[in-house]
Amino acid sequence: MSVPSQQGPGEDLVPAWGRKLTVPCPQCTLATQRHRTLDFDGVNIYRSQAGPDPARVVEGEDPTVERVWIALMPGDYPARLFADTEVYHLVGGIAWPGPHHRDYGNAKVAHNACCPGLHRSPPASSRGAGELWRAMRLRLTRGSGRPTD
């Protein structure tokens, strides 16, 4: 199962106050919603860009706070159809990993989990990612007038 990339879209595409939140994916050109996110550091707290060994943070020093952006698919999807690493929920404008208990089974999905520009064949990480990949490929094909390979 692949983990969605946390790579940012580049400074020119990162939303800021007064800028559009929905931007095209650089790989497939389909619309994505960019949100700031925090990674779980694997120990007990969430913080921006938790390092590979968060247990060894130097005492008394705060970790460097850098904005981390993730591309999410517009809309809500059944969380049960996606792998845990592909599912997010929004609280206070921040994308948090996993579904939210008040979303009644719906969740946001990481675009990289199903991006046709990143995956040559349907992703096998989850049923939902594979279905979204097929739908996005079909949309791209219809928009370009080219048959799929």
Side-chain angles (χ1 to χ4, degrees), residues 59-132:
E59 191 172 326
E61 290 184 17
D62 287 332
T64 55
V65 178
E66 296 181 33
R67 289 185 174 180
V68 182
W69 296 89
I70 188 166
L72 299 179
M73 294 293 299
D76 295 314
Y77 300 89
R80 62 186 166 73
L81 299 181
F82 293 88
D84 291 343
T85 56
E86 299 169 345
V87 173
Y88 288 80
H89 65 278
L90 300 176
V91 174
I94 294 176
W96 296 89
H100 192 275
H101 65 280
R102 290 189 181 159
D103 289 341
Y104 305 105
N106 292 331
K108 302 292 183 185
V109 174
H111 177 79
N112 286 358
C114 51
C115 177
L118 294 175
H119 303 281
R120 292 266 179 224
S121 58
S125 54
S126 68
R127 181 177 134 204
E131 289 176 3
L132 263 181

